Amino acid sequence: MSREDYEVVIGLEVHAELSTRTKIFCSCSTEFGANENTHVCPICTAMPGALPKLNEKVVEYAVKAGLATNCSISQDSKNDRKNYFYPDLPKSYQISQFDKPLCNHGYVEIEDDDGNKKKVRILRIHIEEDAGKLNHDEYSSGSLVDLNRAGVPLIEIVSEPDLRSSGEADRYLKKLKSILQYINVSDCKMEEGSLRADVNVSIHKPGTELGTRHEMKNINSFKAIQRAIEYEIDSQIDDAENGKVIQQETMRWDDLEGRTFPMRSKEDAQDYRYFPDPDLVAIKLSDEYINNIKENLPELPESRKVRYMEEIGLSEKDADALVSSRRFSDIFEEAGKICNDYKSVCNWLTSDISRILNEGEMDPEEIPFKAKELAELVSLINDGTISSKIGKKVLEELFKEPRSPKKIIEEKGWVQISDESEIKEVVMTVLEANPQSIVDFKAGKDRALGFLVGQAMKATKGKANPQMLNKMFLEELKK
Amino acid sequence: MEEITTLTVHELSKKLENKELTSEKIVEAYAKRIEEKEKDVGAFVTVTAQQALEEAKRIDSENIDRENNKYAGIPIGIKDNICTKGVKTTCSSKMLENFVAPYDATVTQKINSEMLPSLGKLNMDEFAMGSSTENSAIKVTHNPWDLNKVPGGSSGGSAAAVAANMVPWALGSDTGGSIREPASFCGVVGLKPTYGLVSRYGLVAFASSLDQIGPITKDVEDSAILLNMIAGHDEMDSTSYDIPKIDYTASLKNDIKGKKIGVPKEFFGEGINEEVKTKLREAIEIYKELGAVVEDCSLDVAEYSLATYYIIACAEASSNLGRFDGIRYGYRAKDFSNLKELFTNSRTEAFGDEVKRRIILGTYVLSSGYYDAYYKKAQKVRTLVKNKFDECFKKYDVLLTPVAPTTAFEIGSKLNNPMEMYLADICTVSINIASVPAISIPCGVDSKGMPIGMQLIGNRFNEETILNVAYAFEQKIEFRENYKPSC
Amino acid sequence: MKISKEELLHIANLSDLKISESEIDKYLENLEDILEYTNVLESASIEELDETIGANDNENVFRKDEIKEFEGRDALLQNAPDLEDDMFRIPKVIN
């Protein structure tokens, strides 16, 4: 078998929790991590007689998301009930949107596997409520239902099956995440489950009909999504090559085992019996309402990128790296403005900070320090208070325990030695200890200077001002 | 003092005002009456007369400003599908036999702020599904005019309690006739307000787009008074209308000269009992005497409405009753070995036959492949029914029809034939389908002495006109003075 | 309208209700009766009409995004048939 013989077709349904203060249909807090069943009321626990009332911010945020992904906004929308029994769904129906979603037919732009621009079409974006959480305690004989999350607002962003590889899927997801963060409608914290995706994968030979798809539900990390897609592609191609018919199925991705399992059998096929929720009324958005949101939409990553290239003179690669995350881009802008050295800030972000994040498998959102601390670090280097080598150590400290870089270098005694007599003393000591280098230098070996400066840095634990060292060694050597 | 419990609320209010009575005396009289009559009538699911008495004493001891709280201290009864914090709300179902709502319905809050002590929760058809209160899982309620007969339903406990003087007035709910039909069977006044006039927050939903809470009272004046208390916009109910407050008692006038009353001939067809028709024709003559302009008209919606009603109401119910899954409250089966069995056994054991029947029907009409043929079509017919009512109200102020095809029937006589029971709603359901208001008032009795009700239907948010037209008639025929229940 | 036994049992399963063998005929009869009655709708002229969605013409009824804590949490949880650590206990669900 060969992968090249098949075309892969992937579509994603992305669920993003909206960062409203309260739930979609009641006034309970959406705060993450509260004690079990404390953010609950008669409405989100489906007490008999309780009625939902739609949070205005949910509509606004969904419209923002639609506009930011080039969707047209529906002026005639409604809420529908999706009926099924599950213990995390208190009403036994989820209030969602069926045939009249708030947003239709948009797209986002990504790069395909060859680096060319590609539009991934979005079919629709609709609003709905999240379910509660089932806690499975291995020591208990049952499962326990916590409804704090029941009724937290979600948008579901449904893509067309335009993605052709796990890499494209990954870039699409990252793009969506960054857009949602830019427009401030979701914090997209995957570790808190606020961004999840259902993944549809099928394969077929080019020129033939589309294959039967497998849907994998609720995967909540970028890595897992990529792995799950890779697994499905391999297993479907395997099946196809072995003449096995692929059944339309809902699968569960097991991240530990690294494989998918069928979730339910055909016998209990779902029939959600969607119908308009009679407890809620029509959503009819005026041109004025939509235009107002459009005009106040925050600057999107594409536009920031252009600005960074044109106004600040960054390379496309650097600009791309910065706008890939809202947090990165915000730190860049804020720190650059404070220290008035955008390029240095860019370097820190795209090199050392990115490296530390990668090593720790962290998201930019998890950067613990503030932009002004990074700006201070850059200024301290620029004004010669510390060397860039010490700067890296300061950065590591900032990740460990964020505080003012000035304080850090004071505490640690990292202030750069720029006192002429002190430097002179070091230079003389190093020269005395390395007579061979003097000979080498005089013989025209420039490397010897570097060696001497290195020795001096070592002796001062990196604190000596390297420019001054350089200058003073040269003076002495030329004597 | 046997008189107290026969008085209307407006009469009691006067006696409180001029200190002939205290709230304690009134509540005491009702507590005693309930104690005597409950075993015969079976109107209550939960009696809270003791709490009501405590509250009455508190109200007496406080210097209530009677000017602004004319009815403070006059008790009330509440249908058992309206949530009351701290007191069981069972919906007359085994499912909610022990359910204590953690919150008050909006109407409950309103009657609390009016200082009306609650005498208890009143029996009904399980989850308001039925027309005779025989579908209660708690008890059978008997018609105070003839204890062998049904009180009507689903608000049978409320209507019977008012008729038997066990409460001065009561709250009911009406999805397809559940206030008006029992009011008619029990010879009292029942008003189904315009959809959206009274908040549904805290009313355990049967069919969300049809349910309305309304008053069941001894006379039209009390109906207007109670409507004043419960009507009004509610932030908690998205379907509640934000309209200016109206004083409904201002429409209690005898003058109806020139009012145009339409009599839709389709409501007087062969399915309607002759004695009912005769009494209504007499009523029409009385209206003519009072100076109203009465004309025959056409409103061909009764059968469409009944079919539409059973599709829409059951569809909504099948979804609304999904929350009764044995997890957060309500009945949980003793035996189950997995989650699906927990759901299925709990629901199967705790829901009564009629409830299950309607859930099955509702699930069917929403299910894949049938949605368009049933639910979608019914929603279109609903538009048609609304349009036809709109046409009528271009010509008439009020429409006059029977409430039910017959007077109260024998207990047990229709239990084995659900379809026959459904036909009892033929005159009332179109009103809910069209979201308009209607009042049921007694207009006489049949040859066996059972009350006959007349339905007056108004245009949306025009409760004033039907109250006016009902009031003038009531003043004329003096039903309460002439006829009294045996119990 | 004829409904098969299998169809009835499928609907019951969707509703999480159990219909015993002895009840099946009765359910089928009742269901067919009412569905047959709904045939009257065939004669309604509805071609040009929109569906009624919701019972009234309210639109855009929204709530402000302001937190209001519900104060009756304990009373709410008290109704649970099986409560453990303030959570609702159910048979083990393996995800």
Side-chain angles (χ1 to χ4, degrees), chain A residues 25 43-46 81-96 128-134 145-147 149-151 154 270 272-273, chain B residues 319 321-329 339 343, chain C residues 88 90:
Chain A
F25 296 117
I43 299 168
C44 56
T45 57
R81 293 184 182 179
K82 176 181 182 181
N83 297 285
Y84 64 95
F85 286 93
Y86 207 65
D88 64 5
L89 187 69
K91 294 187 295 296
S92 296
Y93 58 82
Q94 179 195 33
I95 305 178
S96 178
E128 62 184 26
E129 56 183 335
D130 207 346
K133 196 174 149 214
L134 300 186
V145 187
D146 170 17
L147 297 177
R149 213 176 61 189
L154 300 174
Q270 291 293 312
Y272 292 125
R273 290 156 284 136
Chain B
S319 173
L321 270 60
R323 66 187 59 195
F324 302 104
D325 58 6
I327 292 185
R328 297 163 314 287
Y329 49 79
L339 189 64
F343 287 147
Chain C
F88 308 105
I90 53 168

Side-chain angles (χ1 to χ4, degrees), chain A residues 363-423:
Chain A
D363 280 336
E365 288 70 42
E366 294 170 78
I367 293 174
F369 53 84
K370 299 191 187 78
K372 77 165 198 267
E373 285 154 357
L374 179 61
E376 195 177 302
L377 174 60
V378 170
S379 297
L380 287 170
I381 295 166
N382 286 351
D383 67 16
T385 311
I386 54 170
S387 63
S388 51
K389 200 168 170 193
I390 293 287
K392 290 183 190 199
K393 287 166 78 173
V394 172
L395 181 68
E396 267 159 33
E397 277 302 309
L398 282 177
F399 267 99
K400 270 187 226 150
E401 194 194 337
R403 56 205 193 275
S404 153
K406 263 190 200 133
K407 258 214 190 103
I408 294 175
I409 58 175
E410 266 166 35
E411 277 168 28
K412 303 271 177 188
W414 287 344
V415 182
Q416 185 161 266
I417 302 165
S418 299
D419 183 88
E420 232 172 277
S421 59
E422 250 182 274
I423 300 267

Side-chain angles (χ1 to χ4, degrees), chain A residues 342-359:
Chain A
Y342 285 97
K343 288 205 171 149
S344 296
V345 174
C346 169
N347 282 338
W348 280 103
L349 284 166
T350 54
S351 58
D352 292 278
I353 294 175
S354 292
R355 177 182 49 78
I356 294 172
L357 290 176
N358 275 337
E359 284 166 4

Side-chain angles (χ1 to χ4, degrees), chain B residues 145-433:
Chain B
W145 294 74
D146 177 347
L147 294 175
N148 294 318
K149 296 204 154 109
V150 301
S154 68
S155 310
S158 298
V162 173
N165 297 325
M166 296 162 81
V167 296
W169 54 4
L171 289 174
S173 74
D174 189 317
T175 307
S178 282
I179 285 175
R180 291 158 287 155
E181 189 238 20
S184 168
F185 282 9
C186 293
V188 294
V189 174
L191 173 68
K192 200 267 330 168
T194 308
Y195 185 85
L197 184 65
V198 179
S199 169
R200 292 184 297 114
Y201 191 77
L203 168 68
V204 181
F206 161 17
S208 313
S209 75
L210 302 161
D211 297 339
Q212 267 293 282
I213 294 170
I216 295 179
T217 55
K218 286 181 158 71
D219 69 0
V220 176
E221 184 169 345
D222 282 358
S223 187
I225 293 166
L226 191 46
L227 186 62
N228 270 354
M229 292 177 179
I230 60 175
H233 180 242
D234 180 16
E235 286 294 334
M236 302 301 284
D237 178 358
S238 307
T239 63
S240 123
Y241 267 98
D242 198 355
I243 54 162
K245 197 107 182 111
I246 290 171
D247 175 11
Y248 295 101
T249 60
S251 45
L252 303 172
K253 290 173 293 202
N254 284 318
D255 179 16
I256 55 161
K257 280 202 182 64
K259 284 270 182 286
K260 298 196 76 179
I261 300 176
V263 182
K265 55 178 190 292
E266 292 84 358
F267 283 74
F268 291 80
E270 52 182 286
I272 310 294
N273 174 286
E274 281 307 319
E275 285 193 81
V276 172
K277 285 190 219 171
T278 308
K279 272 292 163 231
L280 281 161
R281 287 201 194 97
E282 286 174 29
I284 290 168
E285 290 312 310
I286 290 170
Y287 272 119
K288 286 179 181 162
E289 280 171 38
L290 289 168
V293 181
V294 188
E295 280 175 20
D296 283 342
C297 69
S298 171
L299 180 61
D300 183 15
V301 295
E303 287 195 315
Y304 290 160
S305 295
L306 193 64
T308 299
Y309 172 81
Y310 275 94
I311 292 170
I312 295 175
C314 294
E316 291 179 6
S318 73
S319 173
N320 283 334
L321 270 60
R323 66 187 59 195
F324 302 104
D325 58 6
I327 292 185
R328 297 163 314 287
Y329 49 79
Y331 179 85
R332 178 182 281 204
K334 299 286 162 291
D335 295 319
F336 53 84
S337 54
N338 57 41
L339 189 64
K340 177 81 178 170
E341 278 185 26
L342 162 60
F343 287 147
T344 303
N345 296 357
S346 300
R347 291 166 59 80
T348 305
E349 289 166 27
F351 285 143
D353 284 349
E354 182 59 24
V355 172
K356 284 189 255 192
R357 206 156 28 233
R358 295 199 195 190
I359 292 174
I360 296 277
L361 173 62
T363 305
Y364 181 82
V365 299
L366 287 176
S367 67
S368 158
Y370 298 105
Y371 182 88
D372 285 1
Y374 292 103
Y375 189 76
K376 197 169 174 180
K377 184 185 283 167
Q379 293 285 54
K380 285 188 172 184
V381 174
R382 189 165 187 184
T383 309
L384 178 78
V385 171
K386 278 185 169 183
N387 292 349
K388 291 203 172 191
F389 270 97
D390 287 348
E391 282 299 308
C392 279
F393 285 115
K394 277 183 195 152
K395 278 197 242 158
Y396 304 104
D397 300 307
V398 170
L399 302 173
L400 185 158
T401 74
V403 179
T406 64
T407 54
F409 43 87
E410 299 282 321
I411 290 172
S413 63
K414 293 192 185 181
L415 268 183
N416 291 322
N417 192 340
M419 198 57 228
E420 199 181 318
M421 191 73 96
Y422 296 168
L423 286 167
D425 298 335
I426 188 90
C427 301
T428 46
V429 291
S430 58
I431 281 76
N432 302 73
I433 293 293

Side-chain angles (χ1 to χ4, degrees), chain A residues 313-343:
Chain A
L314 299 185
S315 69
E316 180 166 5
K317 187 170 164 254
D318 282 347
D320 263 333
L322 288 177
V323 301
S324 68
S325 129
R326 165 97 194 241
R327 185 77 199 284
F328 249 45
S329 176
D330 282 350
I331 292 179
F332 170 70
E333 298 207 2
E334 201 185 327
K337 194 170 167 201
I338 296 172
C339 68
N340 200 22
D341 183 355
Y342 285 97
K343 288 205 171 149

Side-chain angles (χ1 to χ4, degrees), chain A residues 21-24 26-27 36-37 53-57 85-86 135-137 140-145 252 281-284, chain C residues 14-16 53 56 58-68 70 73 76 84 86-93 95:
Chain A
R21 280 196 286 268
T22 64
K23 293 185 179 181
I24 181 166
C26 65
S27 302
E36 288 84 6
N37 286 323
K53 188 154 182 199
L54 182 54
N55 182 345
E56 61 180 1
K57 284 281 169 204
F85 286 93
Y86 207 65
N135 291 316
H136 311 283
D137 178 355
S140 161
S141 58
S143 297
L144 300 170
V145 187
R252 178 177 63 85
V281 301
I283 305 167
K284 296 203 168 167
Chain C
L14 280 179
S15 322
D16 274 2
I53 292 181
N56 62 19
N58 270 357
E59 54 189 48
N60 296 339
V61 177
F62 300 131
R63 179 176 59 75
K64 291 246 174 301
D65 186 25
E66 287 161 4
I67 295 173
K68 220 160 56 194
F70 175 64
R73 175 186 176 251
L76 187 152
E84 184 180 318
D86 284 346
M87 287 181 278
F88 308 105
R89 214 165 83 99
I90 53 168
K92 194 150 197 139
V93 177
N95 225 348

